[in-house]
């Protein structure tokens, strides 16, 4: 059996595991399938941030802003909020705004990409810590805006959030409703959303894979390693940085649209600084610039808090409730991350080329 057959067998086995995973999780309860759904959303976010941080080497601590832009955009286009606020919109759309998924996803990606370019434009000359501080501020500005755009005109409904957001509908197949496959297999909404999210994750992985091996991807990596040398070689660093910010932001916008329809409700609390830090941790923990590592880091850090929930509860009971389970869970997550980074400083699954030592010349 040659190497190609081995790879084909690996892909087939992975496809089978991904196909049956939600049904196995569904046996233990829909809550476990929901964890898989949220993990896939974080994979999308981590893949997008990996373009900015992993490929171009631009430290972005405000990535959650694009996540919020996509979520609120679909929330406004697929909920009664705008029709209730603006009578003219209610007259034009008596049944309310119900934007279809095939239109909402491209719009979310486009608007988030524009926001990414707007963020990148004034930060082109910044590097390292200074860039991180500016992007952090941008993320907080977006969250504060979403939290306060309920006066004098109520657009985002402020801290109350947006509710009654439509679910995706495919030719009459509503992902938000329970279905049955062949009258035998039960398909709750979380399972239907799992397969849709999985399809978008596979598409995103293919896009990232092609980007990494393209001329643009190699130019990003040149900027990451040495921007001055890349500029001396004739690479247009300004345009490529803006492209990295815009391309990464589109992934965040799509993830926000998916999160909005999956939850059916969004509020500014879902897009805090902690979310941005967690997404950056996924990329760093998995392996900067390496797609399999980034996916592994996203899956681990998105599932770990839920798994540790079952550890923190018994520990709280052992101390007669003197320990807060939520704080204890965060402490366990931090300890696990420290242990992993001490044992694997380049990440759980680093890129084979990244960080490789230079060859020693022979005498």
């Amino acid at each position: 059996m040659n190497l190609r057959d081995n790879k084909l067998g690996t892909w087939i086995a992975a496809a089978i595991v991904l196909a049956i995973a939600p049904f196995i999780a569904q046996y233990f309860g829909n809550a476990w399938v929901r964890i898989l759904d949220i993990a896939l959303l974080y994979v999308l976010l981590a893949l997008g941030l990996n373009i900015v941080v992993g490929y171009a080497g631009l430290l972005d601590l405000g990535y959650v802003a694009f996540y919020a832009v996509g979520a609120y955009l679909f929330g406004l286009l697929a909920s009664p909020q705008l029709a209730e606020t603006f009578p003219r919109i209610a007259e034009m759309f008596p049944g309310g705004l119900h934007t279809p998924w095939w239109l909402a996803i491209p719009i979310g990606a486009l608007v988030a990409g524009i926001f990414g370019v707007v963020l990148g434009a004034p930060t082109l000359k910044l590097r390292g810590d200074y860039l991180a501080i500016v992007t952090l501020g941008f993320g907080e500005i977006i969250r504060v805006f979403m939290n306060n755009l309920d006066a004098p005109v109520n657009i985002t409904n402020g801290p109350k959030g947006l509710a009654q957001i439509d679910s995706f509908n495919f030719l009459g197949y509503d992902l938000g409703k329970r279905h049955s496959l062949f009258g035998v297999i039960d398909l709750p909404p979380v399972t239907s959303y799992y397969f849709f999210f999985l399809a978008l994750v596979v598409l995103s992985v293919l896009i990232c894979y092609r980007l990494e091996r393209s001329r643009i991807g190699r130019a990003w990596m040149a900027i990451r390693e040495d921007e001055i040398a890349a500029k001396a070689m004739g690479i247009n660093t300004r345009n490529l940085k803006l492209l990295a910010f815009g391309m990464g932001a589109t992934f965040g916008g799509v993830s926000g649209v998916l999160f909005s329809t999956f939850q059916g409700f969004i509020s500014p609390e879902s897009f805090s600084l902690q979310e941005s830090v967690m997404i950056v941790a996924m990329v760093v923990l998995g392996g900067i610039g390496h797609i399999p590592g980034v996916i592994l880091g996203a899956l681990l850090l998105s599932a770990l808090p839920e798994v540790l929930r079952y550890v923190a509860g018994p520990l709280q009971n052992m101390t007669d409730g003197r320990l807060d389970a939520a704080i204890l869970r965060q402490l366990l997550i931090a300890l696990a991350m420290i242990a992993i980074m001490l044992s694997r400083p380049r990440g759980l699954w680093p890129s084979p080329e990244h960080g490789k030592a230079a060859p020693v010349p022979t005498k």
Side-chain angles (χ1 to χ4, degrees):
M1 183 178 293
N2 57 29
L3 183 60
R4 181 174 297 179
D5 293 334
N6 287 334
K7 287 186 176 181
L8 180 61
T10 302
W11 284 112
I12 293 175
I16 294 174
V17 170
L18 291 173
I20 65 176
F23 300 107
I24 296 175
Q26 189 176 318
Y27 177 78
F28 298 98
N30 288 337
W32 290 99
V33 187
R34 183 179 179 83
I35 292 174
L36 293 178
D37 295 340
I38 297 298
L40 290 176
L41 285 179
Y42 276 112
V43 169
L44 276 176
L45 287 169
L47 288 172
L49 185 60
N50 186 54
I51 294 176
V52 183
V53 177
Y55 293 165
L58 305 171
L59 185 55
D60 187 355
L61 289 182
Y63 189 72
V64 76
F66 312 122
Y67 189 35
V69 167
Y72 268 91
L73 182 67
F74 183 72
L76 293 173
L77 295 178
S79 74
Q81 177 64 26
L82 291 180
E84 292 175 356
T85 304
F86 301 100
R88 181 63 61 86
I89 294 179
E91 294 176 2
M92 296 173 60
F93 301 95
L97 287 171
H98 300 284
T99 307
W101 67 271
W102 51 266
L103 185 59
I105 291 179
I107 291 177
L110 177 63
V111 174
I114 293 173
F115 270 80
V117 174
V118 170
L119 167 63
T123 63
L124 291 176
K125 295 183 179 180
L126 300 177
R127 302 177 189 173
D129 301 339
Y130 301 100
L131 178 61
I133 292 173
V134 171
T135 54
L136 185 151
F138 180 79
E140 283 298 289
I141 288 172
I142 294 295
R143 185 185 63 82
V144 171
F145 261 94
M146 299 303 180
N147 197 46
N148 290 276
L149 280 180
D150 58 345
V153 180
N154 187 8
I155 298 177
T156 64
N157 209 26
K160 298 178 183 177
L162 298 178
Q164 302 180 36
I165 300 174
D166 295 342
S167 56
F168 281 173
N169 193 303
F170 294 86
L171 301 176
Y173 186 94
D174 193 340
L175 296 184
K177 296 181 180 179
R178 185 177 293 270
H179 298 275
S180 178
L181 187 62
F182 306 116
V184 178
I185 302 176
D186 184 35
L187 290 176
V190 286
T191 303
S192 299
Y193 272 111
Y194 169 86
F195 288 106
F196 181 66
F197 291 173
L198 180 61
L200 288 181
V201 166
V202 171
L203 178 62
S204 300
V205 169
L206 291 175
I207 293 173
C208 291
Y209 181 83
R210 297 300 300 170
L211 276 174
E212 182 180 354
R213 284 154 179 78
S214 66
R215 292 179 60 186
I216 294 175
R218 292 195 296 270
W220 280 336
M221 294 175 194
I223 294 173
R224 178 191 68 193
E225 298 301 330
D226 193 329
E227 184 178 347
I228 297 176
K231 187 179 293 185
M233 292 297 293
I235 295 176
N236 191 330
T237 57
R238 178 179 64 86
N239 290 351
L240 284 168
K241 280 184 177 182
L242 289 177
L243 182 61
F245 274 112
M247 184 66 71
T250 58
F251 283 74
V254 172
S255 302
V257 171
L258 299 181
F259 175 76
S260 182
T261 183
F262 178 66
Q263 291 284 101
F265 171 81
I266 54 173
S267 67
E269 296 177 357
S270 301
F271 312 104
S272 62
L273 174 62
Q274 184 178 355
E275 290 294 316
S276 275
V277 173
M278 186 63 72
I279 300 169
V280 173
M282 291 173 182
V283 176
V284 175
L285 187 69
I288 295 178
H290 194 217
I291 295 175
V294 170
I295 294 174
L296 178 62
L299 293 175
L300 180 64
L301 282 187
S302 58
L304 190 61
E306 302 302 325
V307 174
L308 290 179
R309 191 185 300 273
Y310 295 94
V311 178
L315 290 177
Q316 184 186 28
N317 295 332
M318 290 172 59
T319 58
D320 296 328
R322 287 191 293 269
L323 288 177
D324 188 350
I327 296 177
L328 182 59
R329 188 160 57 98
Q330 294 179 359
L331 176 62
L332 292 174
I333 295 171
L335 291 175
M337 292 173 62
I338 291 172
I340 292 173
M341 293 311 297
L342 287 176
S343 59
R344 304 280 296 180
R346 289 177 54 209
L348 290 172
W349 196 345
S351 174
E353 293 81 13
H354 186 60
K356 186 181 293 184
V360 179
T362 57
K363 295 182 180 179

